[in-house]
Amino acid sequence: MRKIIASALVTLDGVAEDPGGYSGTSYGGWALPYFGEESVRLSIEKLAGCDYFLCGRRTYEMFAAAWGNAEGPYADRLRSLPKLVASSTLKGDLTWNATLLEGDAIAALKQLREQEGGDIIMYGNPTLFRSLLENDLVDELDLMLHPVLLGTGSKLFVDETPPTKLTLDSHTALDNGVTILTYRI
C-alpha cells in the first residue's frame, strides 16, 4: 500500500501561501532564502521514494511554469515524476507529465493508494490538503517550518481543518533555521 504524504512549507505563524513567489503576492518568495544545498538534498531524497506528485490546478500551473524547464537535480526529479492533478475546472490535455484526475478525485486516490508502489506526495494546497484529511487519505504530514513571521497570507490550517491526531515521527533542524517535522496520521 502506498502512503500519501502532504508536504508544506510554512512560516512560524502558519502561512503556507506563495513560498516560492510564483503567485505574485507582495510577500511571496519567503522560503527562497532557505532553499540551500541541505534543503535541496532532503527534498530530492523525499521525492525519490515517490511514484506520483499530487497537486491541484493552481499548484500544477505554477510548478509547470516555474520548474518545467528548470535545470538541476531537484528540477529533474520533479519533472520526471508523473503528476496527478485534482481539479474540477481544468480541461483538455495537460503537459509536464501530468494526468487529470477526472470525476471523483478522492475515489481515484483511494484506489491508487491501495496499490503497491512508491508513495504519492502533495505540496502545499490547503484546499486539497483539507479534502484529503477529511477523507482519511493523509498518512504522513511533512512540515518545513521556516523562521519567518508574515502576519498575512493563506494558512495551511484554518477553522475548517478536521480534528486530527498527529504522532511525531521525526524532526530535523537545518543549519539555516528551518525545522522539518514529520508526523504520522
Side-chain angles (χ1 to χ4, degrees):
M1 186 168 115
R2 303 174 193 272
K3 286 190 306 189
I4 295 181
I5 302 167
S7 183
L9 308 178
V10 294
T11 65
L12 283 173
D13 55 349
V15 175
E17 183 178 24
D18 205 11
Y22 309 125
S23 295
T25 62
S26 60
Y27 50 83
W30 52 265
L32 294 177
Y34 302 95
F35 202 63
E37 281 185 37
E38 191 175 23
S39 296
V40 170
R41 179 182 56 77
L42 293 170
S43 295
I44 293 170
E45 286 175 9
K46 181 61 83 169
L47 290 175
C50 297
D51 282 351
Y52 294 100
F53 179 87
L54 172 63
C55 53
R57 178 191 54 83
R58 286 182 29 190
T59 302
Y60 163 73
E61 290 171 344
M62 285 187 292
F63 269 60
W67 293 100
N69 294 315
E71 296 186 17
Y74 177 75
D76 292 343
R77 179 60 185 142
L78 194 57
R79 189 174 32 260
S80 71
L81 269 175
K83 281 44 147 220
L84 301 171
V85 183
S87 173
S88 60
T89 59
L90 198 56
K91 305 292 181 214
D93 293 330
L94 304 182
T95 61
W96 199 47
N97 195 18
T99 302
L100 182 63
L101 292 174
E102 297 187 53
D104 186 350
I106 295 298
L109 289 168
K110 284 180 180 178
Q111 184 177 23
L112 187 58
R113 183 176 172 228
E114 292 300 319
Q115 298 173 2
E116 293 297 318
D119 296 331
I120 301 166
I121 193 163
M122 184 208 76
Y123 282 178
N125 195 324
T127 304
L128 181 56
F129 172 68
R130 282 190 295 277
S131 181
L132 294 174
L133 267 181
E134 288 167 3
N135 288 280
D136 295 320
L137 284 174
V138 179
D139 300 292
E140 181 178 304
L141 173 62
D142 288 347
L143 298 177
M144 292 185 80
L145 190 59
H146 289 69
V148 176
L149 298 171
L150 292 180
T152 187
S154 295
K155 299 187 185 292
L156 184 60
F157 304 107
V158 295
D159 289 343
E160 295 84 28
T161 302
T164 306
K165 182 174 176 6
L166 308 173
T167 302
L168 183 64
D169 192 48
S170 67
H171 56 89
T172 305
L174 305 185
D175 293 338
N176 61 10
V178 172
T179 302
I180 302 172
L181 302 167
T182 301
Y183 294 95
R184 282 180 281 114
I185 298 177

